[in-house]
């Protein structure tokens, strides 16, 4: 399936919701007035775009109507598309050639860190790169096993220690091993839950310090994985992780499901972080670079 079709399929529920709501709003009077703009704002919020993005989009539409005199359904949709697009940043992951690249996968439990790590290993292995993974989620035995299985399936070496061991020590070992093997990409899988949130953030900060100390020249991406089906919780998670450990890019997983697609807009708008990857299924090749234009095209009805 082409990328656009995958986005479109994943976002079909949100898109149908928008289409129905906007058709209903427009059917009442034809051209947009203040009440309709209020309704449109509520629709954006209901689709999980978040209040700041919704309010800003409506302001632009209002301004557009004022200056152009065009309050038609088509022009409202087209301004809305443009405005939401302008709130998003996307970034393509690039490996620095001839250097060690490290992807640190972070996020709460169940968002798709391990799966995304495996998908990335599969992608870069297929492109001919030397890839390795580190099982730094030592909190649960099943987590280590899960990564090892993915390692076998994608033919990627996995560095792991015993359950309960220090995740930063796993990362230390993995970096030494990556250097010795001239690995181009080390993907670090981490835990999403510890005894407390503070423990988790402290542990991630410690892992980052080990990376900075042991591989000061490495190009590091801290990728926060967010589950598209969790609504505004994703915004809260993004703020907490970014504040504690400085995230460099967002992965929106499970966009293939009953995605409340607007959440990508909310998170991008409210953190200013770039959208990097979209998870579109459970298999190793169900991963796409996040393309903001395709995303908005798939999210909103056509003008
Ligand atoms: N449909 C779908 N399922 C996903 C996606 N990414 C992960 N999953 C599933 O979500 C569940 C949790 O994923 P996992 O990688 O173990 O999450 P982690 O706890 O963050 O490491 C697993 O059942 C995955 O198969 C995705 O993009 N689409
Ligand atoms: Mg995991």
């Amino acid at each position: 399936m082409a990328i656009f079709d995958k986005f479109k399929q994943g976002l079909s529920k949100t898109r149908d919701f928008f289409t129905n709501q906007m058709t209903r709003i427009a059917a009442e009077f034809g051209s947009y007035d203040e009440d309709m703009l209020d309704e449109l704002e509520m629709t954006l919020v209901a689709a999980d775009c978040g209040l700041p993005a919704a309010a800003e989009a409506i302001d632009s539409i209002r301004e557009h109507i004022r200056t152009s005199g065009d309050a038609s359904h088509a022009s409202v949709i087209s301004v809305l598309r443009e405005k939401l697009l302008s709130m998003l940043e996307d970034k393509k992951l690039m490996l620095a050639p001839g250097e060690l690249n490290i992807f640190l996968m972070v996020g709460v439990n169940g968002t798709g860190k391990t799966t995304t790590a495996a998908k990335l290993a599969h992608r870069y292995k297929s492109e001919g790169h030397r890839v390795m993974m580190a099982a730094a989620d030592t909190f649960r035995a099943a987590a280590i096993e899960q990564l090892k299985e993915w390692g076998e399936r994608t033919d990627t070496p996995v560095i792991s220690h015993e359950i309960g061991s220090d995740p930063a020590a796993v990362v230390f070992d993995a970096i030494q091993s990556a250097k010795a093997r001239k690995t181009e990409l080390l993907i670090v899988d981490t835990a999403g839950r510890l005894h407390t949130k503070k423990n988790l953030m402290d542990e991630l900060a410690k892992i980052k310090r080990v990376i900075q100390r042991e591989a000061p020249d490495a190009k590091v991406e801290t990728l926060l994985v967010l589950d598209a089906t969790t609504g505004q919780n994703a915004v809260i998670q993004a703020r907490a992780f970014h504040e504690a450990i400085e995230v460099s890019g967002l992965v929106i997983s499970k966009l293939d499901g009953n995605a409340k697609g607007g959440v990508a807009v909310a998170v991008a708008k409210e953190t200013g972080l770039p959208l990097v990857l979209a998870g579109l299924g459970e298999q190793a090749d169900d991963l796409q670079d996040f393309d903001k234009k395709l995303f908005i095209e798939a999210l909103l009805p056509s003008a």
Side-chain angles (χ1 to χ4, degrees), residues 12-249:
S12 60
K13 290 240 159 93
T14 319
R15 182 193 176 88
D16 289 349
F17 173 70
F18 269 123
T19 308
N20 292 339
Q21 289 296 312
M22 292 185 76
T23 308
R24 185 185 60 72
I25 296 170
E28 285 180 27
F29 303 104
S31 63
Y32 274 74
D33 62 14
E34 270 307 313
D35 286 349
M36 291 160 78
L37 290 179
D38 281 349
E39 286 210 44
L40 183 57
E41 182 167 356
M42 283 189 290
T43 302
L44 289 165
V45 171
D48 269 329
C49 292
L51 195 54
E56 196 179 311
I58 297 302
D59 282 347
S60 316
I61 294 171
R62 186 179 291 117
E63 184 59 18
H64 170 82
I65 293 175
R66 200 182 60 78
T67 53
S68 72
D70 182 358
S72 67
H73 186 54
S75 109
V76 166
I77 291 184
S78 113
V79 176
L80 179 59
R81 275 169 173 253
E82 243 171 70
K83 189 63 200 178
L84 292 186
L85 188 61
S86 77
M87 293 177 194
L88 306 182
E89 227 28 87
D90 57 14
K91 176 170 96 170
K92 204 167 154 58
L93 282 181
M94 298 281 214
L95 295 192
E99 280 179 45
L100 176 58
N101 293 266
I102 300 178
F103 294 169
L104 182 62
M105 313 305 300
V106 302
V108 307
N109 234 16
T111 52
K113 292 178 295 300
T114 306
T115 312
T116 307
K119 289 171 176 175
L120 285 166
H122 173 72
R123 172 198 279 196
Y124 289 100
K125 288 269 317 183
S126 312
E127 290 176 5
H129 294 288
R130 282 185 302 276
V131 183
M132 188 182 284
M133 294 194 281
D137 178 356
T138 61
F139 194 64
R140 296 174 306 132
I144 302 172
E145 282 316 307
Q146 188 192 359
L147 195 71
K148 280 186 180 166
E149 269 170 39
W150 274 117
E152 273 165 34
R153 256 186 270 171
T154 57
D155 191 27
T156 308
V158 173
I159 304 297
S160 64
H161 288 184
E162 300 276 281
I163 174 176
S165 59
D166 179 0
V170 178
V171 174
F172 178 91
D173 273 3
I175 290 173
Q176 310 315 318
S177 176
K179 285 181 184 164
R181 297 195 219 183
K182 300 216 173 342
T183 294
E184 295 166 278
L185 173 61
L186 170 64
I187 304 170
V188 179
D189 188 29
T190 65
R193 184 174 65 86
L194 286 182
H195 302 290
T196 69
K197 191 178 120 196
K198 182 169 186 311
N199 280 347
L200 176 62
M201 297 304 174
D202 287 351
E203 178 175 296
L204 293 173
K206 185 172 165 193
I207 289 175
K208 281 202 119 168
R209 284 196 300 275
V210 168
I211 291 173
Q212 274 148 15
R213 193 182 69 218
E214 298 304 316
D217 299 328
K219 180 169 182 261
V220 182
E221 291 282 358
T222 304
L223 301 175
L224 174 64
V225 184
L226 299 168
D227 177 339
T229 65
T230 55
Q232 295 301 299
N233 264 335
V235 176
I236 296 167
Q237 291 163 19
R239 285 217 191 91
F241 276 88
H242 190 40
E243 209 176 283
I245 55 156
E246 210 177 310
V247 170
S248 66

